[in-house]
Amino acid sequence: MPVPVKAITNLAKIIIPFVKKRMTKDHNAKEQHLFLGDLTGMRLSDAIAHVERIGFIPQLLLVQPDKKWLKSSINDVLEMQPKSGHYPPETLVKLYYMDENIREQCDEQVDLPVLKGLTLEAAKELLESKGFKVNPELAAPHKDYAEANVRCVVDFEPKPALFTTSLKRGTTITLYYTTQTTIAKSQQLLQEEMSKQGTMIDGGGQNMVDRLNEFFNKFGKK
């Protein structure tokens, strides 16, 4: 049954003003967003004044010690969150900087080499040559260690801070390594998990077959 033209016209009179109002509201909201430029490399005091002047809220945070900051200046903006872009007024802007204490710690940072997969002896020698202390510890069995070699490093602690690859010189690093017993128990754990997954797949497949049989029994006789 065709819709009367009058009904369409009346509906349009209701919808169009609403759509226009919504589009105007979204446009105005977008226009109210303020532009935040890239502040990295700017003096911290200047960056704070700039952020406050354009209508944002600055928050000061120290960076994690890392060798990559050694060529940077103290009390400069090294990183910022959020990055450059348009944001609503009073957005919190995090300004990351380095003070004298962090600078000294950066000088003591040493890049951590790749350790997983090395023999315990090789990893220990490598770490000690870089100024670290080593604490060997037997790893607990885990399915991920099923294919590891004997006396192989499978994990370590502590890990570097987020976004960094270094630790302070002199840090004691615990190296988790495997033995024949660890590997055997790890292989057993892996086999048990694979058996469970196989049972779930077989059971799921059988359920599907049962449902298909039920369907054909129900409708196939008609």
Side-chain angles (χ1 to χ4, degrees), residues 150-213:
V150 176
R151 295 186 70 77
C152 171
V153 175
V154 291
D155 203 359
F156 65 93
E157 289 289 348
K159 302 289 193 305
L162 191 63
F163 305 126
T164 67
T165 58
S166 58
L167 289 173
K168 185 178 179 180
R169 183 180 288 104
T171 298
T172 297
I173 298 179
T174 299
L175 296 177
Y176 296 96
Y177 68 99
T178 56
T179 62
Q180 190 64 56
T181 302
T182 306
I183 296 171
K185 291 182 178 179
S186 297
Q187 291 172 345
Q188 183 179 351
L189 290 174
L190 180 61
Q191 289 174 356
E192 290 174 357
E193 180 170 305
M194 292 175 67
S195 297
K196 288 181 181 178
Q197 291 178 350
T199 301
M200 292 174 64
I201 293 172
D202 292 341
Q206 186 60 48
N207 288 338
M208 181 61 71
V209 171
D210 293 340
R211 290 178 184 176
L212 288 172
N213 288 333

Side-chain angles (χ1 to χ4, degrees), residues 125-137:
E125 182 180 352
L126 183 58
L127 288 173
E128 288 177 343
S129 70
K130 290 181 173 290
F132 294 111
K133 298 176 183 177
V134 177
N135 174 41
E137 190 168 319

